Amino acid sequence: MSTSSPRPAPAVRLRQATPEDAEALTHLHLDVWDDAYTGLVEQRVLDERRTDVPARVERWRGILAGPREEPLWLAVEVGPGGDEELVGFASAGPARDGDVDTATELWSLYVRARLWGTGVGYALLQAAIGDRAAYLWVLAGNDRAIGFYERQGFRLDGTVDELDDGRHLRMLRAGT
């Protein structure tokens, strides 16, 4: 029997991203990819993502300034002195796959590794899609993420997509 207790949830609040978040979001996105995918994708893929950070910042700024059907949600950790750090994000939008019977796709959900298991990912998922029917793509071998999504009612549907960064598996969830 384990005597350790679950980690307490940090002081995190959720809010919608704005164009002013582009630089911090870029760095968060690069870091969480390293957290999640080191050992699952070739290191060159992770390294190449860091070659032109200013262009990534501008891409995020454009995304955040443009029209969106759904908000991009940020998890912001508030430190003891009131300082804030972006620690996760999630976004959803219209389904891009024409062969699924749902209108919503979870486009992204990432949390810093130090906050895995604290409820931050669940809070972001709820903000992004709530209990709606949806689907998502997850990197094959990312058993931690697959387990998380299974606990949220998603199931692998057998659809596979081979991309430059690896093999992706589709997961679906019926709405409640």
Side-chain angles (χ1 to χ4, degrees):
M1 183 171 143
S2 173
T3 58
S4 65
S5 60
R7 289 184 292 181
V12 172
R13 66 181 177 86
L14 301 185
R15 66 171 174 81
Q16 294 181 20
T18 68
E20 291 75 28
D21 294 310
E23 186 166 352
L25 182 57
T26 298
H27 292 287
L28 172 65
H29 195 190
L30 292 168
D31 291 347
V32 294
W33 258 61
D34 287 348
D35 289 348
Y37 301 137
T38 295
L40 292 177
V41 301
E42 293 181 31
Q43 187 60 44
R44 73 163 177 78
V45 171
L46 298 174
D47 293 344
E48 286 171 2
R49 295 179 81 249
R50 293 185 180 273
T51 58
D52 192 355
V53 173
R56 287 188 176 278
V57 170
E58 287 311 308
R59 194 166 339 154
W60 270 119
R61 188 169 283 118
I63 290 168
L64 296 173
R68 297 185 59 86
E69 289 189 32
E70 306 224 12
L72 186 139
W73 290 95
L74 298 176
V76 181
E77 185 174 33
V78 181
D83 55 319
E84 297 182 344
E85 176 190 2
L86 299 186
V87 294
F89 69 96
S91 66
R96 296 177 285 192
D97 293 0
D99 65 334
V100 293
D101 188 25
T102 181
T104 303
E105 179 181 356
L106 181 66
W107 291 344
S108 63
L109 173 58
Y110 292 100
V111 175
R112 291 192 182 277
R114 67 182 174 79
L115 295 174
W116 291 346
T118 65
V120 173
Y122 176 77
L124 283 166
L125 181 69
Q126 287 301 113
I129 64 171
D131 293 330
R132 289 184 285 173
Y135 74 95
L136 59 90
W137 290 93
V138 63
L139 190 64
N142 191 347
D143 297 334
R144 179 197 50 77
I146 291 169
F148 169 81
Y149 291 124
E150 286 176 338
R151 289 188 300 277
Q152 312 317 315
F154 287 88
R155 298 293 176 254
L156 293 167
D157 77 346
T159 305
V160 176
D161 194 6
E162 298 287 343
L163 300 174
D164 290 342
D165 60 357
R167 186 173 188 233
H168 293 247
L169 312 173
R170 190 168 65 189
M171 300 184 80
L172 297 168
R173 179 178 78 181
T176 56

